[in-house]
Amino acid sequence: MSAVEYRVRLAGSEAAFGCAADDTLLRAGQRAGLGFPYECNVGSCGTCRFELVEGDVQVQWADAPGLTENDRKRKRYLGCQTRPLADCTIKLRLGQRYAPPHRPQRLQAVLERSRPLTHDMREFRFVLDAPHSFEPGQYALAYLPGVTGARAYSMSNTPADGKTWEFVVRRTPEGAGTRALFDDLTVGQSIAIDGPYGMAWLRREAPRDILCLAGGSGLAPMLSIARGAMAEPQLAGRKLHFLYGGRTPADVCGHDLLQELPGWGERLSYHPAISPLPGGSSEGWTGDVGYLHEVALERFAARLPEFEIYFAGPTAMAMAVQRMLVDAKVPSEQVHFDQFY
Ligand SMILES: Cc1cc2nc3c(=O)[nH]c(=O)nc-3n(C[C@H](O)[C@H](O)[C@H](O)COP(=O)(O)OP(=O)(O)OC[C@H]3O[C@@H](n4cnc5c(N)ncnc54)[C@H](O)[C@@H]3O)c2cc1C
Ligand code: FES
């Protein structure tokens, strides 16, 4: 991180933080322990928008979809895509729910192992140069060689030793980040990893049984939640139902990883589902067929409000699950997700 640091003040409040010249305002605010609002961290959602009152900034990704033309005209910026060029004053409302349980750090990490889970998903194990903790369900930013901008990936393990952070990544056709991860990065190579981030972490204090809904690469944070829930004594009385959705049987995974956990078959159950495209076949498949939100509704129906619910996956799936949970009258404070963009 650069030794040059600028002061960022929040208009109308006493709050202020230092931001290194090569850091973004959002991440520096988080490193200072402040509840700087955000969600994706990669320029897509617009949650980290702020207004520049005084000072000068540099925008990293000028066309980031998180801002509208109107925002740009009104001197609004994305905290996750903006670096300071001078001391600044910004207009922003902090939110306690965004305050980090662990202040994020940017660390070097060596790729120790990579192995396939399906035809297009791999597990990557990185070892950090210094231990740093995270909550099960959180994500990190990976700076990949030759790739512009960071990519967000959820940890799939628990922070047992602090130094090992594992990820499950699905290859995106033509995707720059996943090409670098799958094709270019080799075991022993090191990259920068910044984290942890995210709000959808395991709530230990919640007294309810747990329902995890994972679609595709949404497996990663849900695995982390399940691994955390099965390991932690505070959660010993809770049951966990894990629903996994893939397009075809070849996309389905997670069974062997969950089967290794204590509580398997007693407190922990796994239900895979497929949702073939029109005309696609489900021949030979013995699990559920349907979209994940439909399968969850069919299996649990009126019991849904009894659960603490975590979900992750592609945008369409996340939106359908969210709508279904609202219709099922699940209180929003029992629902936890970080949208994948
Ligand atoms: C919170 C969160 C958690 C996620 N967790 C996972 C996970 O566990 N596993 C998984 O497989 N995927 C996950 N994703 C999706 C992942 O971050 C990538 O979007 C996906 O891997 C595709 O990346 P790509 O580079 O291959 O594709 P591309 O299409 O090349 O890139 C898409 C992504 O890169 C960003 N981007 C594109 N251009 C720029 C630019 N010029 N500057 C800065 N950023 C740019 C976009 O915002 C978008 O996020 C997560 C996303 C989010 C937001
Ligand atoms: S957090 Fe900055 S656009 Fe999503």
Side-chain angles (χ1 to χ4, degrees), residues 94-165:
L94 298 176
Q96 192 47 42
R97 73 176 287 261
Y98 299 102
H102 304 280
R103 295 187 186 199
Q105 283 182 22
R106 187 166 161 151
L107 298 157
Q108 284 301 117
V110 174
L111 178 62
E112 189 188 71
R113 188 181 85 168
S114 149
R115 61 173 180 142
L117 295 186
T118 68
H119 62 103
D120 64 354
M121 291 206 329
R122 287 187 83 83
E123 180 191 74
F124 297 87
R125 175 184 291 168
F126 286 90
V127 179
L128 304 185
D129 60 359
H132 191 43
S133 203
F134 61 86
E135 293 296 309
Q138 287 197 288
Y139 71 89
L141 298 172
Y143 292 84
L144 296 157
V147 178
T148 308
R151 296 295 185 267
Y153 293 112
S154 308
M155 280 69 86
S156 58
N157 63 328
T158 59
D161 69 356
K163 280 188 128 181
T164 308
W165 289 23

Side-chain angles (χ1 to χ4, degrees), residues 158-302:
T158 59
D161 69 356
K163 280 188 128 181
T164 308
W165 289 23
E166 290 177 355
F167 304 90
V168 171
V169 179
R170 173 177 223 159
R171 186 192 275 275
T172 299
E174 314 297 329
T178 48
R179 186 170 52 237
L181 252 180
F182 280 65
D183 301 338
D184 302 340
L185 201 67
T186 52
V187 167
Q189 243 183 306
S190 151
I191 61 165
I193 283 188
D194 188 349
Y197 293 100
M199 266 68 67
W201 67 77
L202 178 62
R203 301 311 203 261
R204 294 171 186 80
E205 68 288 357
R208 288 165 281 275
D209 286 345
I210 297 169
L211 177 60
C212 288
L213 306 176
S217 57
L219 179 72
M222 297 302 103
L223 257 183
S224 180
I225 295 276
R227 285 169 164 160
M230 290 301 120
E232 295 194 21
Q234 208 180 330
L235 289 151
R238 312 284 152 69
K239 287 194 174 127
L240 189 149
H241 305 278
F242 197 110
L243 270 57
Y244 184 79
R247 186 59 78 186
T248 70
D251 299 319
V252 170
C253 61
H255 181 268
D256 52 338
L257 300 169
L258 291 164
Q259 210 176 9
E260 293 168 354
L261 299 181
W264 172 257
E266 292 156 19
R267 292 203 290 133
L268 174 60
S269 62
Y270 172 80
H271 311 281
I274 59 165
S275 51
L277 288 167
S281 163
S282 57
E283 209 181 302
W285 174 253
T286 53
D288 290 326
V289 176
Y291 290 117
L292 214 47
H293 65 285
E294 299 166 339
V295 172
L297 189 60
E298 206 169 296
R299 277 190 174 269
F300 300 104

Side-chain angles (χ1 to χ4, degrees), residues 26 38-48 66 78-80:
L26 163 64
Y38 74 106
E39 198 182 328
C40 71
N41 227 317
V42 289
S44 297
C45 70
T47 312
C48 62
L78 294 174
C80 68

